């Protein structure tokens, strides 16, 4: 099977994706920002499944980090054949008048520039091998503006344009590029207040929040399908028409 790199995989959606890919038979590099211990735990769970796994960390806001991480995976596991760019940052809901330039630039650096640099670094090897899967984890905020703010929505929307461009360049060489855009998912990024959670769940067409495992199942299906490319797939409980 293939070597996968999943960023932001120490918890939540990224963790579920890493484990799901491991269950599918892939070796997995568990990317993390600051949660080294949690990432090592995920790597241990993958090892228990019989997969080769390592934890690779760094600040994705640093433009040198993506290439370093991909290089480390190549040295320790082999060429990155599956890239799931899941890591992202947000903030409490912020009006556009309150977003400072530093916060804007930091959000785009982690949520958009880092996925670009990761994909750029891994893309050449995928083309040479004639096989690759790139999945950018976006958000319904890319379509609606979301709850967090313009900086977050803009960073996620940029992933869609990036995917469309890369998909056209890689399709004939066996490299597919897609976007998965979750809606409200039951993670620690959702407000802890039970009343707020209940209100958010009620806003979904299915009447509940999604789970990380449901997003992971979709990502695994996208990775497994060599005829699916250049698509943006929303997973939000049937709420947003596309």
């Amino acid at each position: 099977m293939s070597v996968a790199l999943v960023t932001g995989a120490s918890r939540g959606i990224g963790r579920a994706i890493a484990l799901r890919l491991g269950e599918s038979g892939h070796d997995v590099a568990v990317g993390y920002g600051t949660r080294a211990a949690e990432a090592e735990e995920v790597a241990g769970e993958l090892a228990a499944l019989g997969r080769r796994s390592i934890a690779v960390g760094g600040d994705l806001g640093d433009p040198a980090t993506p290439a370093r991480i991909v290089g480390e995976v190549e040295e320790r596991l082999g060429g990155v054949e599956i890239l799931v760019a899941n890591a992202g940052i947000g903030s409490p809901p912020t009006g556009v008048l309150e977003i400072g330039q530093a916060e804007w630039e930091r959000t785009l650096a982690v949520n958009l520039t880092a996925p670009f640099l990761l994909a750029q670094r891994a893309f050449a090897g995928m083309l040479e091998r004639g096989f690759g899967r790139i999945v950018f984890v976006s958000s319904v905020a890319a379509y609606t503006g979301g709850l967090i703010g313009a900086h977050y929505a803009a960073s996620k929307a940029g992933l869609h344009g990036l995917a469309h461009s890369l998909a056209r360049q890689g399709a004939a060489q066996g490299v597919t590029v897609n976007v998965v855009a979750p809606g409200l998912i039951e993670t620690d990024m959702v407000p802890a207040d039970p009343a707020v959670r209940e209100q958010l769940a009620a806003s979904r067409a299915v009447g509940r929040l999604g789970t990380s495992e449901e997003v992971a199942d979709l990502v695994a299906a996208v990775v497994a399908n060599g005829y699916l490319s250049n698509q943006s797939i929303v997973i939000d409980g049937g709420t947003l028409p596309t």
Side-chain angles (χ1 to χ4, degrees), residues 95-118:
V96 68
L97 298 182
E98 286 74 49
I99 300 171
Q101 184 174 343
E103 185 178 10
W104 172 273
E105 292 178 351
R106 172 70 178 172
T107 302
L108 265 69
V110 174
N111 294 5
L112 180 57
T113 302
F116 162 70
L117 293 172
L118 287 162

Side-chain angles (χ1 to χ4, degrees), residues 142-208:
Y143 298 89
T144 68
L147 302 174
I148 294 176
H151 52 331
Y152 182 81
S155 70
K156 292 299 187 178
L159 292 172
H160 296 249
L162 173 59
H164 294 323
S165 180
L166 283 174
R168 293 191 182 95
Q169 296 175 55
Q173 286 77 40
V175 180
T176 67
V177 187
N178 294 284
V179 178
V180 169
L184 291 169
I185 304 300
E186 188 73 58
T187 70
D188 59 9
M189 292 186 72
V190 175
D193 187 317
V196 174
R197 284 177 174 257
E198 184 177 351
Q199 182 180 19
L200 293 174
S203 72
R204 304 296 88 191
V206 299
R208 64 174 177 85

Side-chain angles (χ1 to χ4, degrees), residues 62-161:
D62 179 347
T65 297
R68 178 183 60 76
I69 287 177
V70 174
E72 185 174 346
V73 177
E74 289 175 339
E75 290 177 6
R76 299 176 64 185
L77 296 180
V80 174
E81 296 161 300
I82 300 168
L83 169 64
V84 182
N86 165 75
I89 59 172
S91 62
T94 306
V96 68
L97 298 182
E98 286 74 49
I99 300 171
Q101 184 174 343
E103 185 178 10
W104 172 273
E105 292 178 351
R106 172 70 178 172
T107 302
L108 265 69
V110 174
N111 294 5
L112 180 57
T113 302
F116 162 70
L117 293 172
L118 287 162
Q120 186 183 52
R121 177 62 175 78
F123 200 58
M126 293 179 179
L127 295 177
E128 290 174 4
R129 288 185 293 270
F131 176 85
R133 300 285 185 267
I134 297 175
V135 181
F136 297 117
V137 179
S138 176
S139 165
V140 295
Y143 298 89
T144 68
L147 302 174
I148 294 176
H151 52 331
Y152 182 81
S155 70
K156 292 299 187 178
L159 292 172
H160 296 249

